[in-house]
Amino acid sequence: MESPAQPRRVTIVDVARHAQVSTTAVSKVLRNAYGTSPKMRAKVRQAIAELGYRPFAAARGMRGQTYTIGVMLPDIRNPFFPEILDGLTEALDETDYQVLMGPGCNGEAAEARVTEAMIDRGMDGLVLIAPVSPRSHLEQVARTVPTVVVGRHGQSAVYDTVSDDDIAGAALVVDHLVGLGHRRIAHIEHAETDPARMVEMPNALRAEGFRRSMRAHSLEGEAEIVSTTYTQEGGYRGTQQLLTRADRPTAVFAGADIVAMGVLEALDEARVSVPGDISVVGYDNTTFAAFGPISLTSVDQAGRHIGTEAARLLLGRLADRGKPSAQVKLSPSLVVRRTSAPPST
Amino acid sequence: MESPAQPRRVTIVDVARHAQVSTTAVSKVLRNAYGTSPKMRAKVRQAIAELGYRPFAAARGMRGQTYTIGVMLPDIRNPFFPEILDGLTEALDETDYQVLMGPGCNGEAAEARVTEAMIDRGMDGLVLIAPVSPRSHLEQVARTVPTVVVGRHGQSAVYDTVSDDDIAGAALVVDHLVGLGHRRIAHIEHAETDPARMVEMPNALRAEGFRRSMRAHSLEGEAEIVSTTYTQEGGYRGTQQLLTRADRPTAVFAGADIVAMGVLEALDEARVSVPGDISVVGYDNTTFAAFGPISLTSVDQAGRHIGTEAARLLLGRLADRGKPSAQVKLSPSLVVRRTSAPPST
DNA sequence: TTGAAAGCGCTAACAA
DNA sequence: TTGTTAGCGCTTTCAA
């Protein structure tokens, strides 16, 4: 009934024999390496096509490259990350590199496990999206394999970075809300106590940007900060806290769209109308922010562009390991939708 | 300034020397293979710990396994898939296997590219989530590497399957809506013309289940089917079509939650109230369905459980390649929320 | 129970 | 320009 056990995989030796050349020749053609005549290339390419040969990446990795780029991301559920991935895979599509992603990690231990697994599998380069591990660990990884760190500030000599100007993003939000007439504004941040991370993590910078901008408007007394986490749950709980307080804010700046979802849910449950009673602004401009019934005002980070830049930097470092590290910083913009309006009072 | 080029990776040879045993012995301990004395195991384990040795998976793959499971999924944006992944990684967490995912694929060409990339990287097993490729291609993949196909009906002798009873799921929806008093019910399906896929793809079965159930209620004349795609965009366009028709339905059954999002958006735009004017039911019970302001009635597929089952089947096949193929079918349940209510007329 | 030696498929150094 | 040869780090015979 069943088809016979498939014959053993076609190898470079089979191709060499079929094309009547050496295995070295085949290897060179595969890698577009120096020292092959057009005639030989044609012969080899034909043999590859005729035999349906595909190089075995694991074996290639023993000597050279595996042609694999590993992407680590903290949470597949956060709708901001697919944007970055789109940009990344699009830029890598025309190359020989294949992208493989680790499963969502939360916390340092999971991040270490995934990065180690990727290094052990001989990946040629890594893209770490919004990692939480201490910088020393990131640098250790980057010394082993070319690495681009996305969404984290603070430069390093050993890895490249791509990030968005979170201070400026937070200022866009405050300017917008103050411009509408709001004075009492709350911010839901991702709790951060580690001083080292205070200057590197986007969440900490958004909170800092919020503080600075409120001060610039001489509204430091009206700023209210709630520390939870960048999750829907965090937004939900943070809002519940805010609603119990005496002097209720007229606007909430959630540090991420996913947080804003929790904010909207809590407000909905408490029968507080948006933007009638309270305005809500998010960050990331995810697909769901644009979604009609939600229509969330949000800061756009150009996730796709971030992904493209990360790919460009990684390819550059793959081509030249000694190249000095680069820091790309992109500028955010504000997308105003229906969840923000002048305060009613 | 920079730390010196890190020393070459610790290999099995270093461990063997340090423990004063052969490399064979180390290899056996690593794989828990037969023929090692407790004393030797202790010695080797200690040397591994002292040197911080980690096996190089790419090299292991040349002879044996890479301890890597590849997961192919069509679309990272669909909030149903993370559930499956959670179940999968949780079940695999205690094993030596590491999960790596391909980037989202759409269409046969992209699926072929990703599965080939995974096979070329020596992955030990594959989990294909809702693949659209013809069964012959899936079987070819499965003959090369142990494979579990998730979310696709139709059994095969060479791969295991895990799926949900989509016919029953559609019936749950129709029974619920008819029970509320609805008669004129629309269904937005993912267009399917390939007859081979009509019996295998979940979308086709949900449509078939809808038809059968409407017939069972003697409402075949009241059933309205719109063919688009299982995306937010598809739900949006499908609903726009429905709204232009003369005899407007009082309820819409979207084939997936992500489709229901588009439905809600189009209804919102057209100022049609939900559930006042039209009830909406989704499928997948994603996180967003539970989200307060949306509160979508939906069919729950127990995605986490699907992932666990897939892991179990794959581990079984990894342990015994000759084992007969299994088909696991899970039963869906309906979660009633605020988007479904009796019709107003 | 243990270890010596061969070899997986490929690339890189070197020789012709 | 082309081919020969020696490994990469591991697993697997197979002999001791």
Side-chain angles (χ1 to χ4, degrees):
Chain A
M1 273 308 264
E2 215 157 298
S3 71
Q6 80 282 2
R8 106 183 145 35
R9 208 183 152 100
V10 177
T11 75
I12 204 172
V13 178
D14 301 315
V15 175
R17 187 160 30 214
H18 193 254
Q20 310 206 12
V21 296
S22 71
T23 58
T24 309
V26 179
S27 175
K28 278 181 181 164
V29 172
L30 283 177
R31 290 173 294 117
N32 297 311
Y34 180 79
T36 52
S37 65
K39 214 175 78 186
M40 159 161 284
R41 260 173 284 163
K43 261 202 304 192
V44 171
R45 293 236 169 80
Q46 199 193 333
I48 287 175
E50 282 176 19
L51 298 178
Y53 166 76
R54 294 201 318 261
F56 187 55
R60 300 181 93 172
M62 302 269 332
R63 296 301 304 244
Q65 309 187 58
T66 56
Y67 297 92
T68 313
I69 303 290
V71 176
M72 187 191 82
L73 72 181
D75 176 14
I76 337 174
R77 282 186 172 77
N78 190 326
F80 175 55
F81 299 131
E83 302 285 326
I84 300 179
L85 281 168
D86 279 350
L88 204 55
T89 49
E90 188 191 74
L92 255 22
D93 243 17
E94 300 131 34
T95 71
D96 284 338
Y97 292 97
Q98 172 69 41
V99 169
L100 289 179
M101 309 179 293
C105 325
N106 41 41
E108 291 182 27
E111 287 188 1
R113 178 175 168 165
V114 169
T115 50
E116 285 180 357
M118 290 180 166
I119 290 170
D120 294 348
R121 277 150 190 83
M123 301 217 172
D124 300 327
L126 259 41
V127 176
L128 309 182
I129 300 180
V132 300
S133 298
R135 172 208 279 255
S136 61
H137 180 249
L138 301 182
E139 296 202 319
Q140 186 193 315
V141 168
R143 265 191 289 271
T144 311
V145 53
T147 300
V148 175
V149 173
V150 172
R152 178 147 163 171
H153 301 257
Q155 59 180 10
S156 162
V158 286
Y159 56 75
D160 300 310
T161 60
V162 183
S163 59
D164 214 70
D165 189 337
D166 293 290
I167 296 271
L172 286 174
V173 174
V174 173
D175 290 350
H176 168 65
L177 290 171
V178 170
L180 286 172
H182 292 272
R183 292 177 52 83
R184 183 135 192 85
I185 304 173
H187 172 52
I188 299 185
E189 68 163 352
H190 182 98
E192 195 67 77
T193 52
D194 182 341
R197 283 198 214 147
M198 295 289 266
V199 295
E200 295 207 351
M201 302 300 285
N203 46 294
L205 289 179
R206 287 174 200 170
E208 178 58 23
F210 170 74
R211 263 182 236 107
R212 277 196 216 169
S213 190
M214 287 296 277
R215 205 177 308 129
H217 287 286
S218 306
L219 289 173
E220 53 267 61
E222 305 288 339
E224 183 109 10
I225 296 190
V226 184
S227 285
T228 59
T229 59
Y230 272 13
T231 57
Q232 194 172 323
E233 170 73 16
Y236 182 84
R237 281 188 293 106
T239 305
Q240 285 186 324
Q241 283 181 41
L242 278 175
L243 291 177
T244 59
R245 299 193 186 168
D247 201 0
R248 212 189 247 188
T250 62
V252 177
F253 165 32
D257 280 359
I258 192 85
V259 177
M261 296 295 156
V263 174
L264 291 177
E265 174 151 36
L267 293 178
D268 181 69
E269 235 179 70
R271 300 281 176 265
V272 175
S273 92
V274 175
D277 299 324
I278 292 186
S279 285
V280 178
V281 179
Y283 206 112
D284 288 342
N285 192 29
T286 56
T287 324
F288 274 91
F291 178 48
I294 293 180
S295 190
L296 177 72
T297 295
S298 187
V299 177
D300 187 278
Q301 289 201 64
R304 217 190 163 82
H305 194 193
I306 292 177
T308 316
E309 284 298 306
R312 193 179 60 76
L313 288 172
L314 194 53
L315 290 174
R317 183 158 297 277
L318 249 17
D320 171 16
R321 309 256 163 155
K323 129 177 139 46
S325 75
Q327 291 75 41
V328 173
K329 193 181 237 178
L330 300 170
S331 288
S333 56
L334 186 74
V335 180
V336 177
R337 296 203 184 84
R338 294 206 306 260
T339 56
S340 57
S344 51
T345 44
Chain B
M1 275 307 264
E2 213 157 302
S3 70
Q6 80 282 4
R8 120 192 128 30
R9 209 184 150 100
V10 177
T11 74
I12 204 172
V13 178
D14 302 316
V15 176
R17 188 160 31 216
H18 194 254
Q20 308 205 18
V21 298
S22 70
T23 58
T24 309
V26 179
S27 175
K28 278 181 181 165
V29 172
L30 283 176
R31 291 172 293 116
N32 297 312
Y34 180 80
T36 51
S37 64
K39 211 176 80 186
M40 159 161 283
R41 258 173 289 165
K43 261 202 304 190
V44 171
R45 292 234 170 81
Q46 199 194 334
I48 288 176
E50 282 176 19
L51 298 178
Y53 166 76
R54 294 201 317 262
F56 188 54
R60 301 182 91 171
M62 301 260 344
R63 296 299 302 240
Q65 308 187 60
T66 56
Y67 297 91
T68 313
I69 303 292
V71 176
M72 186 191 83
L73 73 181
D75 176 14
I76 337 175
R77 282 188 172 76
N78 190 326
F80 176 54
F81 299 131
E83 302 285 327
I84 300 179
L85 281 168
D86 279 350
L88 205 55
T89 49
E90 189 191 73
L92 255 22
D93 243 15
E94 301 132 32
T95 71
D96 284 336
Y97 293 98
Q98 172 68 41
V99 168
L100 289 179
M101 309 180 292
C105 326
N106 40 43
E108 291 182 27
E111 287 189 0
R113 177 174 168 163
V114 170
T115 51
E116 285 180 358
M118 290 180 166
I119 290 170
D120 294 347
R121 278 151 188 83
M123 299 215 170
D124 300 327
L126 258 42
V127 176
L128 310 181
I129 301 180
V132 300
S133 298
R135 171 208 279 253
S136 62
H137 180 249
L138 301 183
E139 297 203 318
Q140 186 194 314
V141 168
R143 267 191 288 271
T144 310
V145 53
T147 300
V148 175
V149 173
V150 172
R152 178 147 163 173
H153 301 257
Q155 59 180 8
S156 163
V158 286
Y159 56 74
D160 299 311
T161 60
V162 183
S163 60
D164 214 70
D165 189 337
D166 293 291
I167 296 272
L172 286 174
V173 174
V174 173
D175 290 351
H176 168 65
L177 290 171
V178 171
L180 286 171
H182 292 271
R183 295 177 51 84
R184 183 133 192 86
I185 304 174
H187 172 54
I188 299 185
E189 68 163 353
H190 182 97
E192 196 64 77
T193 52
D194 182 341
R197 282 196 215 149
M198 295 289 265
V199 296
E200 296 208 350
M201 301 300 285
N203 47 293
L205 289 179
R206 287 173 201 172
E208 177 60 23
F210 171 73
R211 265 184 234 105
R212 278 197 213 167
S213 191
M214 288 296 276
R215 205 178 307 129
H217 287 286
S218 305
L219 288 173
E220 54 266 61
E222 305 288 341
E224 183 106 12
I225 295 190
V226 185
S227 285
T228 60
T229 58
Y230 271 13
T231 58
Q232 194 172 323
E233 170 74 15
Y236 183 82
R237 282 188 291 105
T239 306
Q240 286 186 324
Q241 282 181 42
L242 279 174
L243 291 177
T244 60
R245 298 194 186 166
D247 201 1
R248 214 189 245 187
T250 61
V252 177
F253 164 33
D257 280 359
I258 191 86
V259 177
M261 296 295 156
V263 173
L264 292 176
E265 173 150 38
L267 292 177
D268 181 68
E269 235 180 70
R271 300 279 177 268
V272 175
S273 89
V274 175
D277 299 323
I278 290 186
S279 285
V280 177
V281 179
Y283 206 111
D284 288 342
N285 192 30
T286 56
T287 323
F288 274 92
F291 177 47
I294 293 181
S295 191
L296 178 71
T297 295
S298 187
V299 176
D300 186 280
Q301 289 201 65
R304 218 191 163 82
H305 194 193
I306 291 178
T308 316
E309 284 297 304
R312 194 179 58 76
L313 289 172
L314 194 53
L315 289 174
R317 183 158 298 276
L318 248 19
D320 172 17
R321 309 256 162 155
K323 130 177 138 45
S325 76
Q327 292 75 42
V328 173
K329 193 181 234 177
L330 300 170
S331 289
S333 57
L334 187 74
V335 180
V336 178
R337 296 202 185 85
R338 294 207 305 261
T339 56
S340 57
S344 50
T345 45

